[in-house]
Amino acid sequence: MKKLFTLLIALALVGCSITKQPEFKEITRIDVKNISMRNVTIEADAVFNNPNILKGKVTIEDLHIFVDDIDVGVVSSQEFDVPARAEFTIPLQ
């Protein structure tokens, strides 16, 4: 009986899907906020889907953007909620 109970707990733990990465879907609402000789500020929304059963909060800081292996800028975001098993949007600047 103890072996059966241990097996059921192990199967329940393995069956819970919490290790999948959120899936990127699209970029929406692209707005140019500021243009100067040295900088361009762009705001956009990145849409993702979280297939996991857990929710949480995430902050993006200093995410570098590369074009043809050239570092062209840095993206940042304020803290945002990641809902469980749902689509969510990350505001980027």
Side-chain angles (χ1 to χ4, degrees), residues 46 48 57-64 74-80 88 90-93:
F48 289 84
K57 292 185 182 280
V58 174
T59 302
I60 296 174
E61 294 180 3
D62 299 331
L63 176 67
H64 288 264
V74 178
V75 174
S76 62
S77 174
Q78 295 189 4
E79 183 177 80
F80 58 91
F88 62 97
I90 302 172
L92 302 173
Q93 181 177 33

Side-chain angles (χ1 to χ4, degrees), residues 2-93:
K2 288 182 182 180
K3 289 182 182 181
L4 179 61
F5 183 70
T6 304
L7 178 63
L8 289 175
I9 289 177
L11 286 175
L13 291 175
V14 171
C16 294
S17 173
I18 59 172
T19 59
K20 295 181 182 175
Q21 291 185 352
E23 302 163 351
F24 172 74
K25 296 187 87 172
E26 63 182 332
I27 296 286
T28 61
R29 193 193 61 83
I30 300 173
D31 294 325
V32 178
K33 291 297 181 183
N34 185 26
I35 298 176
S36 69
M37 293 298 284
R38 299 192 68 194
N39 295 312
V40 175
T41 303
I42 299 172
E43 290 183 354
D45 291 332
V47 181
F48 289 84
N49 180 50
N50 181 15
N52 299 305
I53 60 172
L54 296 178
K55 61 182 180 177
K57 292 185 182 280
V58 174
T59 302
I60 296 174
E61 294 180 3
D62 299 331
L63 176 67
H64 288 264
I65 304 298
F66 288 87
V67 175
D68 293 331
D69 294 328
I70 299 171
D71 189 352
V72 295
V74 178
V75 174
S76 62
S77 174
Q78 295 189 4
E79 183 177 80
F80 58 91
D81 293 323
V82 176
R85 291 192 176 157
E87 192 172 277
F88 62 97
T89 302
I90 302 172
L92 302 173
Q93 181 177 33

